[in-house]
Amino acid sequence: MAEKTHVYADNAATTRLSETALAAMLPYLKEDFGNPSSLHTYGQRAAWALQEARESVARSLGALPQEIYFTGGGSEADNQAIRTAALLGLRKGKKHLITSAVEHHAVLHTLAALKKEHGFEVEILPVDAFGRVTVAQVAAALRDDTALVTIMLANNEVGTLEPVTEIGAACKARGVLFHTDAVQAVGHIPLDVKTLGADMLSLSGHKFHGPKGVGVLWARRGVPLQSLIFGGGQERGRRAGTENIAGIVGLAAALADAVGEVDEVAARLTRLRDKLIAGLAQIDRSRLNGHATERLPGNVNFCFEGIEGESLLLLLDAKGVAASSGSACTSGSLDPSHVLLALGLPHEIAHGSLRLSLSRETTEEEIDHILAVVPPVVDYLRGISPVWEQIIKNAQ
Ligand SMILES: *Cc1c(COP(=O)(O)O)cnc(C)c1O
């Protein structure tokens, strides 16, 4: 795999671990292996690293160190935020939860579980053709018994940015907790939790060149976070289990790096993204999914009529381009992505989607390579597709 693929354009699925993050982690995988709960020097060194990492992450987000809770990834942070709000809601008889149709499954499936377990009413707001939910929709849906609104900051499939700050203000005015899944946004667009308007925010290390299996739930001071995992008193009693020190240290280093260069990288990627979009738009019967400008700097998502996303991916992989179709979690099933369907795309078109997600490592030469490779592959697949013949006949 590694030999034949030269252009990695699947950074929304995961990113390469940075050299800085790796170097920061290595001591904690080797000589500094102590348990931060131990009182001896080994333990103290680990506890000190944990505290440093917490302060560093807080600085990167504009947060307070005591508002940072390390988790086992973005999915766990989403689960914990949502279950916290649900538990607090249950105590007050509030059983209404609001979300959008384009959320990650870590959000949607947690809400579905709460509906099944406790009879919560889950209101899933539809999105417009670009994947956006409006603050007016959220404001109209808020009720006295609403326990939580959870709306993502940036969509992982089509890159659409949601009006989170405005939504947060609407929630605050009604005294409703607001969580945002910012896994795709953190480290990729400028962000400060002081002005964001959320009460809780999820992020994940491996989406910004940190390690996998480690994430953060930021919870505004005063939000009584509820534990998903019971045991020892780690994370101030909110997440039991010996801390993943190397992972946490790596996440903090990667985040500081990403945040430090976010403006510069976002500007460069926006230019590369728009070049890629302009090139792919030349392909007959292609369409850009998501918003033209209100989108992540590194996200490109297209549909090509008459072709299967899966076949496209395999041929592109053979030509040295690693991309994705739908989302990594759903590929392997034949169901088209719930996000593309929520945008209003018909099943047959949603099947032919291609996501190219760039990172700070992406070069202009790589964009040129993608632009040289995709059109002939699309032509070839259409040439052997009976569906394409029909589409052309119908158009005549
Ligand atoms: C990747 C991702 C997650 C899950 O994060 P993990 O660390 O892989 O569990 C959640 N939400 C969004 C939007 C993502 O892109």
Side-chain angles (χ1 to χ4, degrees), residues 12-13 72-76 78 104 106-107 152 154-156 181-184 203-207 213-215:
S75 299
E76 186 186 315
D78 284 343
H104 192 273
V107 167
M152 71 201 325
N155 185 268
N156 47 303
D181 174 340
V183 172
Q184 290 288 334
L203 63 89
S204 173
H206 74 102
K207 302 292 175 78
V214 58

Side-chain angles (χ1 to χ4, degrees), residues 21-45:
L22 177 63
M25 293 169 74
L26 281 175
Y28 300 96
L29 295 166
K30 294 162 99 178
E31 62 274 14
D32 288 330
F33 58 84
N35 183 329
S37 299
S38 303
L39 293 180
H40 45 63
T41 308
Y42 290 94
Q44 282 169 24
R45 290 176 72 90

Side-chain angles (χ1 to χ4, degrees), residues 129 158 287-289 301-303 336-337 339-351 353:
V158 296
R287 88 164 246 169
L288 174 69
N289 297 313
N301 190 310
F302 264 84
C303 277
S337 118
V339 174
L340 296 180
L341 294 180
L343 264 53
L345 296 189
H347 267 68
E348 64 277 15
I349 294 184
H351 265 304
S353 81

Side-chain angles (χ1 to χ4, degrees), residues 54-70:
R54 196 181 306 284
E55 283 167 14
S56 168
V57 168
R59 269 196 306 279
S60 294
L61 298 176
L64 300 169
Q66 64 267 34
E67 296 175 324
I68 304 299
Y69 297 89
F70 292 110

Side-chain angles (χ1 to χ4, degrees), residues 68-134:
I68 304 299
Y69 297 89
F70 292 110
T71 69
S75 299
E76 186 186 315
D78 284 343
N79 275 252
Q80 189 168 7
I82 294 167
R83 283 196 178 265
T84 287
L87 263 171
L88 297 175
L90 273 185
R91 290 181 195 158
K92 298 180 186 160
K94 297 182 176 184
K95 296 189 86 169
H96 182 231
L97 306 167
I98 300 174
T99 191
S100 85
V102 295
E103 299 299 310
H104 192 273
H105 282 139
V107 167
L108 291 175
H109 290 175
T110 302
L111 293 169
L114 285 166
K115 178 177 175 180
K116 216 172 140 189
E117 291 165 20
H118 301 283
F120 275 94
E121 187 186 332
V122 179
E123 186 163 350
I124 301 178
L125 300 175
V127 295
D128 67 13
F130 303 113
R132 278 180 311 183
V133 47
T134 65

